[in-house]
């Protein structure tokens, strides 16, 4: 599946949420999910910076996230959708 998305994979596990980057994924800690939720109303560009900082913890992941944003269409719309999704997790 193309694009970026969050998915809840369970509860009471070490990682309950994963962040999909195209066909790969990164586990996301509950603390990171809560921090992203707390900042989910930021403008899209600032939320992207926070997302890159918290989920893209290596230069490789940051590059993959940026590449997926470029290839999948309008980045601002994609970030807005991610912000809505994170609030619902």
């Amino acid at each position: 599946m193309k694009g970026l998305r969050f998915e809840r994979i369970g509860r009471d596990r070490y990682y309950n949420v994963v962040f999909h980057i195209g066909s790969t994924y990164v586990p996301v800690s509950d603390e990171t999910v809560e921090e992203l939720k707390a900042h989910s109303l930021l403008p899209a560009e600032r939320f992207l910076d926070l997302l890159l900082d918290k989920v893209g913890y290596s230069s490789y992941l940051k590059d993959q996230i940026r590449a997926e944003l470029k290839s999948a269409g309008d980045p601002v719309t994609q970030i807005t959708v991610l912000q809505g999704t994170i609030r619902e997790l």
Side-chain angles (χ1 to χ4, degrees):
M1 179 180 268
K2 286 253 180 218
L4 303 172
R5 65 187 173 91
F6 287 99
E7 177 186 13
R8 178 168 294 283
I9 57 172
R11 299 212 182 269
D12 300 322
R13 301 170 61 162
Y14 193 73
Y15 289 107
N16 296 307
V17 174
V18 293
F19 181 64
H20 293 268
I21 306 166
S23 60
T24 61
Y25 65 89
V26 178
V28 181
S29 71
D30 288 343
E31 294 80 21
T32 298
V33 169
E34 290 306 315
E35 186 168 356
L36 291 171
K37 276 184 186 182
H39 294 92
S40 65
L41 296 176
L42 287 172
E45 297 83 13
R46 290 191 52 210
F47 186 80
L48 175 59
D49 291 340
L50 180 66
L51 179 71
L52 288 171
D53 184 49
K54 296 298 177 181
V55 178
Y57 45 82
S58 71
S59 59
Y60 173 77
L61 286 175
K62 288 177 183 173
D63 290 345
Q64 291 300 106
I65 292 169
R66 286 186 186 109
E68 197 64 33
L69 275 172
K70 282 183 183 177
S71 71
D74 178 27
V76 173
T77 299
Q78 289 182 71
I79 296 300
T80 303
V81 170
L82 287 175
Q83 288 172 292
T85 302
I86 198 74
R87 285 191 292 268
E88 294 173 7
L89 289 178

